[in-house]
Amino acid sequence: MVQKAERVQGGHGRPVGNITRGTTNPNRMRRVDRWVTGPQAWRLRAAADPLVVDLGYGATPATAVELHTRLAAVRPDVRVFGIEIEPERVRAALPLERPGLSFRVGGFELPVAGRPVLVRAFNVLRQYEEADVAGIWRLVQGRLAPEGLFIDGTCDEIGRRVAWVALDSERPLSLSLSVRFGSFALPSEVAERLPKALIHRNVPGEPVHAFLQAMDRAWLECAPLGAFGNRQRWQGMCLALRAAGWPVQDGPARWRLGELTVGWEAVAPPA
């Protein structure tokens, strides 16, 4: 059953947010975690306080446990807090606490001492009204460390199609798409997993629609490279998009993973 989007609630001492479906699966977040521990790992290494929040980890804490394990390989003294607005979910997670991993009740106000260098909220904002997204972004951004990053993303049930927006304390920076090769016919199929700020914008006349259509065209034009494998074809698509003027970031090392990051200015909804 699909949950109807809700308006954000909170205040008067209550956590900011609503109880969401909480569906999750082990290893569901591997693609975004791979990005965090790859091109974004410098943020964690440089942080004076390696504080990280997994916001809205869901009915089971598997992805929060995985996040701590993956980040500890980059920064052994990392402190990960799994935050959930549903108290029973937190009680169920407490036996999994260990040095560097804790769980507590809360919402978008982020009930932790200090300023996080990373906040990951996956499959959370998707369950709210689009009108609330900007306010939620500002609330979380206001809690970030100076070089902190807020990741608002969505993925399918087993993490084959993933999309996320990365924001610093001042503005959105980029949109990233990551897909498993063989799970799609056209790259634009990832549109069903766009974050809330963009999912209703995939219509003619909107920048994100134009970008997804450009991806499809480049993917089809690079079909001959498929003889060398989908990784080569995806790299060809990324190069073609960059040559066409799209602000495609990173390079072949990320593209080979089925990943593509583009500057937010290319896909942002009109003001």
Side-chain angles (χ1 to χ4, degrees):
M1 182 178 69
V2 176
Q3 176 175 313
K4 184 180 182 294
E6 299 183 56
R7 297 306 304 269
V8 66
Q9 300 177 12
H12 304 290
R14 298 192 303 271
V16 179
N18 309 311
I19 297 174
T20 57
R21 293 193 306 276
T23 54
T24 189
N25 279 303
N27 216 27
R28 191 181 184 187
M29 308 302 175
R30 63 191 180 278
R31 291 185 174 274
V32 64
D33 290 352
R34 186 167 59 186
W35 184 75
V36 169
T37 56
Q40 302 303 317
W42 67 270
R43 298 178 187 274
L44 195 61
R45 294 191 182 102
D49 179 11
L51 173 63
V52 173
V53 171
D54 186 18
L55 180 59
Y57 57 81
T60 65
T63 56
V65 174
E66 292 167 350
L67 180 64
H68 177 252
T69 299
R70 290 162 181 165
L71 296 187
V74 175
R75 182 76 187 255
D77 60 340
V78 66
R79 296 186 298 128
V80 175
F81 282 86
I83 305 297
E84 250 297 334
I85 201 167
E86 167 52 63
E88 184 55 41
R89 295 174 183 172
V90 176
R91 282 193 289 271
L94 291 178
L96 295 176
E97 288 191 334
R98 61 196 189 195
L101 177 63
S102 304
F103 298 92
R104 63 180 53 175
V105 176
F108 296 114
E109 77 286 356
L110 306 186
V112 295
R115 292 186 172 274
V117 68
L118 173 68
V119 178
R120 185 187 72 179
F122 246 70
N123 305 303
V124 178
L125 274 72
R126 183 180 177 90
Q127 300 178 55
Y128 290 81
E129 292 283 357
E130 183 181 358
D132 282 331
V133 170
I136 292 171
W137 280 3
R138 288 193 296 270
L139 181 60
V140 177
Q141 287 174 281
R143 292 297 318 282
L144 292 176
E147 296 293 345
L149 199 67
F150 174 33
I151 301 174
D152 167 19
T154 307
C155 65
D156 68 357
E157 288 72 18
I158 58 175
R160 297 169 303 178
R161 300 177 182 181
V162 190
W164 64 88
V165 176
L167 310 93
D168 64 12
S169 60
E170 297 181 354
R171 61 188 180 89
L173 302 175
S174 60
L175 170 70
S176 295
L177 308 173
S178 183
V179 294
R180 179 181 177 181
F181 294 126
S183 70
F184 64 92
L186 291 173
S188 64
E189 292 171 22
V190 76
E192 65 184 18
R193 299 298 168 178
L194 286 172
K196 192 69 176 190
L198 294 174
I199 193 165
H200 301 302
R201 303 287 185 159
N202 185 28
V203 294
E206 291 279 349
V208 70
H209 180 267
F211 178 65
L212 291 171
Q213 293 301 300
M215 286 181 68
D216 282 353
R217 287 193 299 271
W219 176 254
L220 292 172
E221 290 168 359
C222 289
L225 292 174
F228 303 100
N230 282 327
R231 285 181 175 82
Q232 293 298 320
R233 186 176 179 182
W234 186 269
Q235 288 182 71
M237 178 196 74
C238 293
L239 286 171
L241 289 168
R242 179 177 283 175
W246 293 97
V248 172
Q249 300 178 8
D250 301 321
R254 307 306 305 176
W255 302 340
R256 283 195 293 268
L257 302 173
E259 184 180 294
L260 186 156
T261 297
V262 65
W264 177 251
E265 66 277 9
V267 296

